[in-house]
């Protein structure tokens, strides 16, 4: 099934050393244990990447985010999991966790006993031989980054929740990376059976200048609910390009919150196909960016695509950005309402708070509507801190730095407050507060 | 307590002089009222005293209990005991009134090297103050001034004053936007805060407010200066004859 309507542009092929670099990385790997169908998928994926390389800014979908730092082909390192980078204890809000270090599963750091029973939590690597009909069904292999991931992916999580199983507790999946010019290609697969429920947190951390190219497929069957949270706290020198493909069935809920503070170059792309009546989608998030390690600004790109393919479905998007220093934000949100998909409600809001004259944001909302009984809205605001509010707080004795932090916190707090899971809401709020005291105060 | 001498101030961006030599002295525990027509400089005086950006002091001085007020940041003025009750209190979405006020009180205490108050102690303090002012403490749970009625906003200002216990409170057009019942509640609150150690400067266009908050002295401001001073009876005279004679002068 192809669910994206955007194909790579023709005529934008770049001559660069990056394509041969990844081709030789592919050739250097032993694929003899892969089933035949998977080898075909890998070869097709590599071909799709080789067709375009990393998308250039001439590609409409990548107009605002420049991937040229990848074009030198330096990010080809494959470093083994090592102990140089310490992984702390399981987060307080998590009942179970899987840990991948430099792409490799670390059983010694993982603890999934608590969630066993009605849910299968395994390494994707161990499931591949049985996944022929489930693998790559929700995504668009023609996208070069997806193709690259298919060609080089090794492991990730594979979670299957049984019908009607309501999983209590939170599953945390940690992607920890370290090293110099390392490249990792996590591939994740999540399937929620009918009427089931799961809360999952993807947590990116690391140390060094590594490149993560992550792809996930999420299938939420009829009446199921997924609370999918994401904390991208990568090293300030890292690159993280992630793309989740989500299918939402009838009466199902996909509830997503992404908090991003890390990486020098990050894109979190979510493509959602709503194909059952009564389904609802929440795409929420906050990103906080400032100067990167190299003195340039961090780039944080949030790109969403919502395909209301059937009637009586609703979606809501709220993203808040805080941009300090030379921070650079991108929000691209496309909502497609297909013909005959009546009684749709789709609301989208992007708000950015600029704390510095050097910060920059590009916002591109896009509504494409072919049905007539539809309520869709989009709003985008970009503003500075409210001077009146700042003076009001200071006139009550609150010093300037603290007053600024309070106002910024309240700006982000509005969307953080929408996180349903209380422990995660508190953890994300604290993470935000820590970022603010390290970056935006003073 | 407060001594304003020959104060000149201008709007920075327009280089437009607004205050043109204000002289005013307020003793401890005294209540002074400044009345005047629109555009006379009343509100500018309150902004200059509280340290709002955008105004430039071009001459003169303000002595506040022996300190040079004009050299201080707004938060330092608050810590020194100055409080401005805003004509239009600012809405701050996402910040709970309780958090805001406790932060303010503790920052002031910190600046004075006093012990900070914990959440439980603060809650008790706020409840007491609300009770003595006859204000519901329900608004403490809401975001600062968000969705408050005009009366609620002014009551919130009064409550903040009660909690922060300033030495000098400047009330900028506190009566604007209030009906007579709300005005009475706010005025009762202000009167409850009168003390021998607390001075007040009440800025108002109308005499009405001064029926409830009775001043010791009344000053008429026109064209950036105080042009006449007198007792509380001066307010009644202004009510009857208007400001025209002063504006011409």
């Amino acid at each position: 099934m192809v669910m994206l309507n955007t194909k790579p542009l023709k005529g934008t092929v770049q001559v660069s050393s990056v394509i041969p670099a990844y081709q030789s990385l592919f050739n250097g790997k032993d694929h003899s244990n892969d089933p035949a169908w998977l080898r075909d998928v890998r070869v097709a994926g590599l071909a799709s990447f080789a067709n375009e390389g990393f998308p250039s800014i001439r590609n409409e979908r990548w107009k605002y985010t420049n991937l040229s730092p990848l074009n030198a082909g330096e990010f080809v390192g494959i470093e083994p999991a090592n102990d140089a980078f310490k992984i702390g204890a399981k987060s307080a809000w998590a009942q179970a966790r899987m840990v991948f270090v430099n792409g490799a599963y670390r059983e010694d750091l993982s603890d999934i006993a608590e969630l066993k029973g009605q849910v299968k939590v395994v390494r994707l690597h161990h499931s591949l031989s049985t996944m022929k009909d489930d693998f790559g069904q929700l995504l668009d292999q023609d996208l070069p980054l997806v193709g690259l991931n298919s060609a080089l992916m090794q492991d990730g999580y594979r979670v299957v929740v049984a019908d009607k199983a309501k999983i209590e507790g939170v599953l945390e999946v940690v992607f920890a990376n370290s090293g110099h010019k390392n490249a990792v290609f996590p591939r994740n697969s999540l399937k929620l059976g009918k009427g089931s429920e799961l809360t999952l947190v993807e947590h990116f951390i690391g140390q060094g200048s590594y490149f993560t190219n992550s792809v996930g497929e999420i299938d939420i069957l009829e009446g199921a609910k997924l609370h999918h949270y994401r904390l991208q706290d990568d090293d300030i020198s890292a690159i993280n390009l992630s793309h989740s493909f989500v299918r939402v069935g009838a009466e199902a809920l996909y509830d997503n919150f992404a908090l991003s503070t890390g990486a020098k170059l990050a894109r979190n792309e979510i493509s959602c196909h709503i194909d059952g009546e009564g389904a609802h989608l929440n795409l929420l998030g906050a990103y906080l960016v400032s100067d990167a390690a190299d003195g340039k600004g961090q780039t944080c790109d949030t790109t969403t695509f919502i395909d209301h393919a059937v009637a009586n479905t609703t979606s809501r998007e709220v993203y808040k950005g805080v941009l300090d220093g030379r921070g650079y934000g991108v929000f691209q949100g496309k909502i497609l309402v297909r013909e005959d998909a009546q009684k749709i409600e789709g609301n989208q809001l992007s708000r950015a708070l600029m704390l510095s004259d050097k910060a920059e944001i590009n916002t591109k909302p896009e509504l494409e509507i072919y049905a007539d009984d539809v309520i869709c809205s989009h709003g985008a605001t970009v503003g500075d801190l409210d001077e009146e509010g700042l003076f009001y707080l200071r006139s009550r004795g609150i010093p300037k730095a603290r007053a600024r932090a309070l106002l910024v916190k309240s700006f982000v707090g509005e969307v953080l407050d929408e996180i349903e899971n209380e422990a995660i809401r508190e953890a994300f709020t604290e993470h935000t507060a820590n970022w603010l005291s390290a970056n935006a105060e003073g | 307590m407060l001594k304003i001498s020959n104060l000149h101030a201008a709007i920075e961006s327009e280089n437009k002089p607004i205050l043109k030599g204000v002289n005013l002295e307020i003793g401890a525990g005294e209540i002074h009222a400044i009345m005047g027509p629109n555009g006379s400089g009343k509100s500018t005086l309150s902004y200059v005293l509280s340290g709002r950006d955008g105004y430039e002091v071009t001459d003169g001085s303000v002595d506040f209990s022996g300190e040079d007020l004009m050299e201080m940041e707004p938060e330092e003025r608050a810590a020194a005991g100055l409080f401005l009750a805003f004509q239009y209190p600012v809405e701050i979405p996402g910040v709970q009134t309780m958090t805001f006020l406790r932060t303010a009180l503790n920052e002031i205490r910190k600046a004075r090297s006093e012990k900070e108050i914990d959440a439980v102690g603060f809650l008790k303090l706020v409840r007491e103050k609300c009770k003595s002012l006859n204000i519901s403490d329900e608004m403490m749970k809401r975001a600062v001034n968000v969705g408050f009625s005009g009366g609620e906003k002014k009551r919130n200002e009064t409550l903040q004053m009660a909690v922060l216990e300033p030495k000098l409170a400047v009330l900028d057009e506190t009566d604007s936007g209030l009906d007579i019942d709300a005005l009475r509640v706010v005025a009762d609150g202000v009167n409850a805060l009168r003390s021998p150690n607390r001075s007040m400067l009440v800025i108002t266009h109308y005499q009405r407010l001064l029926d409830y908050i009775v001043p010791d002295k009344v000053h008429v401001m026109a064209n950036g200066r105080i042009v006449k001073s007198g007792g509380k009876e001066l307010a009644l005279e202004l009510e009857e004859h208007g400001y025209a004679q002063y504006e011409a002068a």
Side-chain angles (χ1 to χ4, degrees):
Chain A
M1 182 191 76
V2 174
M3 48 180 279
L4 281 171
N5 64 342
T6 315
K7 300 285 180 198
L9 297 182
K10 298 296 170 203
T12 59
V13 177
Q14 259 184 331
V15 182
S16 103
S17 58
V18 73
I19 295 169
Y22 285 108
Q23 278 168 336
S24 64
L25 192 61
F26 177 81
N27 291 332
K29 282 191 174 185
D30 174 16
H31 299 291
S32 58
N33 290 327
D34 286 346
W37 64 264
L38 182 57
R39 277 201 294 272
D40 292 346
V41 169
R42 287 194 190 279
V43 169
L46 190 66
S48 143
F49 176 72
N51 185 39
E52 193 183 347
F54 289 109
S56 82
I57 52 172
R58 283 169 293 170
N59 180 332
E60 186 63 23
R61 297 166 57 91
W62 291 88
K63 189 174 169 185
Y64 301 115
T65 298
N66 193 336
L67 296 183
S68 63
L70 287 163
N71 277 338
E74 300 169 306
F75 289 92
V76 289
I78 304 289
E79 289 188 19
N82 59 55
D83 292 323
F85 178 54
K86 294 282 175 231
I87 312 289
K90 191 166 67 186
S91 296
W93 38 261
Q95 276 65 45
R97 99 171 159 177
M98 299 179 88
V99 178
F100 295 88
V101 178
N102 291 348
Y105 185 61
R106 284 284 296 269
E107 196 162 3
D108 58 317
L109 296 170
S110 301
D111 167 18
I112 49 178
E114 299 290 315
L115 285 183
K116 272 184 180 164
Q118 296 165 296
V119 58
K120 189 172 93 171
V121 179
V122 294
R123 294 174 53 187
L124 184 85
H125 184 71
H126 286 167
S127 279
L128 278 172
S129 57
T130 62
M131 280 183 65
K132 187 181 177 201
D133 297 328
D134 263 347
F135 191 85
Q137 296 304 302
L138 304 183
L139 47 72
D140 184 353
Q141 178 99 319
D142 289 342
L143 297 171
L145 283 163
V146 175
L148 183 65
N149 178 280
S150 292
L152 295 168
M153 64 95 196
Q154 287 298 329
D155 215 345
Y157 63 79
R158 163 76 170 161
V159 175
V160 182
V161 185
D163 286 355
K164 293 181 189 156
K166 305 231 187 281
I167 308 305
E168 283 177 33
V170 175
L171 170 63
E172 176 185 20
V173 184
V174 176
F175 298 96
N177 295 298
S178 62
H180 184 64
K181 308 295 182 194
N182 216 15
V184 284
F185 302 92
R187 179 64 163 259
N188 304 307
S189 167
L190 177 53
K191 189 168 190 169
L192 268 78
K194 289 178 183 172
S196 67
E197 187 165 356
L198 177 74
T199 302
L200 177 133
V201 180
E202 290 175 6
H203 191 174
F204 291 87
I205 52 173
Q207 206 171 65
S209 58
Y210 52 87
F211 164 45
T212 301
N213 169 19
S214 171
V215 170
E217 290 181 88
I218 297 171
D219 201 2
I220 307 169
L221 300 188
E222 198 179 316
K225 290 180 181 169
L226 174 64
H227 304 283
H228 181 195
Y229 304 109
R230 182 178 200 267
L231 177 56
Q232 190 270 98
D233 185 24
D234 277 306
D235 189 286
I236 205 85
S237 307
I239 299 175
N240 186 328
L241 307 177
S242 295
H243 199 154
S244 299
F245 295 84
V246 186
R247 180 164 68 186
V248 192
E251 304 293 333
L253 169 73
Y254 179 56
D255 174 36
N256 178 277
F257 191 102
L259 177 61
S260 307
T261 55
K264 73 168 179 184
L265 171 57
R267 164 129 136 177
N268 182 27
E269 186 162 0
I270 308 173
S271 302
C272 298
H273 180 79
I274 308 179
D275 75 350
E277 290 201 23
H280 180 69
L281 204 62
N282 264 337
L283 299 185
L284 309 171
Y287 54 92
L288 303 100
V289 287
S290 187
D291 292 326
D294 56 6
K296 293 176 188 158
Q298 283 178 275
T299 294
C300 186
D301 173 335
T302 301
T303 295
T304 65
F305 172 61
I306 300 174
D307 178 359
H308 284 275
V310 296
N312 292 306
T313 53
T314 53
S315 65
R316 185 160 173 273
E317 281 183 271
V318 181
Y319 287 95
K320 292 217 171 178
V322 175
L323 299 103
D324 201 4
R326 290 182 165 78
Y328 174 60
V330 176
F331 174 76
Q332 304 186 104
K334 180 168 178 176
I335 299 175
L336 168 66
V337 178
R338 297 195 189 234
E339 214 181 324
D340 301 330
Q342 305 294 356
K343 309 277 182 201
I344 300 294
E345 192 166 339
N347 296 302
Q348 181 189 87
L349 181 66
S350 160
R351 294 189 62 196
L353 182 61
M354 315 301 276
L355 297 180
S356 139
D357 295 342
K358 297 187 182 79
E360 204 184 322
I361 181 157
N362 275 306
T363 308
K364 184 181 160 199
E366 210 180 334
L367 304 181
E368 205 175 313
I369 300 170
Y370 298 102
D372 45 27
D373 188 4
V374 165
I375 301 170
C376 275
S377 70
H378 67 82
T381 65
V382 178
D384 303 331
L385 266 190
D386 175 23
E387 287 296 326
E388 293 278 320
L390 198 59
F391 174 64
Y392 190 70
L393 295 174
R394 294 180 73 193
S395 79
R396 296 302 181 248
I398 301 174
K400 192 174 182 179
R402 185 97 194 259
R404 273 169 61 102
L406 208 56
L407 290 177
V408 177
K409 216 170 117 184
S410 73
F411 172 81
V412 187
E414 276 186 312
V415 71
L416 286 166
D417 283 348
E418 295 201 37
I419 297 176
E420 199 174 291
N421 184 294
E422 191 181 343
I424 294 169
R425 182 171 63 239
E426 282 170 10
F428 280 25
T429 302
E430 195 187 332
H431 184 82
T432 304
N434 290 341
W435 187 92
L436 290 173
S437 56
N439 290 276
E441 283 190 27
Chain B
M1 168 69 59
L2 182 77
K3 189 177 181 197
I4 303 174
S5 312
N6 191 33
L7 186 65
H8 287 70
I11 295 178
E12 237 165 25
S13 54
E14 299 167 30
N15 202 13
K16 182 180 166 192
I18 305 286
L19 301 182
K20 301 165 185 171
V22 175
N23 291 291
L24 179 65
E25 197 163 343
I26 303 178
E30 292 177 358
I31 296 197
H32 288 226
I34 291 187
M35 300 184 71
N38 292 331
S40 59
K42 304 189 302 284
S43 283
T44 298
L45 178 63
S46 74
Y47 291 146
V48 170
L49 289 177
S50 56
R52 192 192 188 101
D53 277 348
Y55 297 92
E56 191 190 354
V57 175
T58 50
D59 200 5
S61 66
V62 180
D63 178 286
F64 183 52
S65 297
E67 291 185 82
D68 182 354
L69 196 66
M70 295 299 107
E71 286 298 309
M72 298 158 86
E73 296 291 338
E75 55 268 31
E76 292 170 338
R77 299 180 195 205
L82 180 75
F83 181 92
L84 169 66
F86 281 58
Q87 181 179 3
Y88 303 109
V90 182
E91 296 187 6
I92 306 182
V95 179
Q96 198 195 35
T97 306
M98 184 77 85
T99 309
F100 154 66
L101 197 45
R102 187 156 80 92
T103 306
L105 180 61
N106 277 333
E107 288 293 346
I108 287 177
R109 289 190 170 199
K110 238 190 318 193
R112 293 174 182 166
S113 306
E114 293 169 8
K115 196 169 174 280
E116 292 184 44
I117 191 164
D118 64 20
V120 177
F122 182 74
L123 192 64
K124 194 163 161 266
L125 174 76
V126 162
R127 288 214 173 114
E128 272 168 27
K129 298 289 184 188
C130 283
K131 211 174 157 195
S132 71
L133 296 172
N134 204 14
I135 292 174
S136 158
D137 60 10
E138 177 268 338
M139 68 164 122
M140 299 302 291
K141 298 189 190 100
R142 291 154 62 188
V144 179
N145 293 322
V146 176
F148 285 30
S149 69
E152 283 175 323
K153 284 181 180 170
K154 297 297 167 79
R155 262 175 276 171
N156 193 9
E157 296 289 290
T158 314
L159 176 64
Q160 291 172 35
M161 183 167 39
V163 170
L164 301 179
E165 299 185 313
K167 282 195 284 191
L168 172 69
V170 179
L171 278 58
D172 185 13
E173 307 268 6
T174 289
D175 49 333
S176 73
L178 295 189
D179 62 28
I180 198 73
D181 292 327
L183 179 64
R184 193 170 289 141
V185 173
V186 170
D188 285 349
V190 171
N191 284 326
L193 296 171
R194 292 180 86 142
S195 102
N197 307 316
R198 182 166 300 130
S199 313
M200 295 191 191
L201 180 60
V202 182
I203 293 172
T204 184
H205 186 86
Y206 300 104
Q207 181 266 342
R208 184 177 78 150
L209 179 66
L210 303 180
D211 287 342
Y212 299 96
I213 305 172
V214 181
D216 299 304
K217 281 193 180 142
V218 174
H219 310 275
V220 181
M221 193 160 185
N223 196 22
R225 276 192 199 93
I226 286 173
V227 292
K228 186 169 183 179
S229 299
K232 61 189 173 205
E233 65 285 349
L234 180 55
L236 293 168
E237 192 190 310
L238 284 166
E239 183 77 359
E240 203 172 321
H241 300 293
Y243 293 115
Q245 54 173 318
Y246 301 108
E247 284 185 284

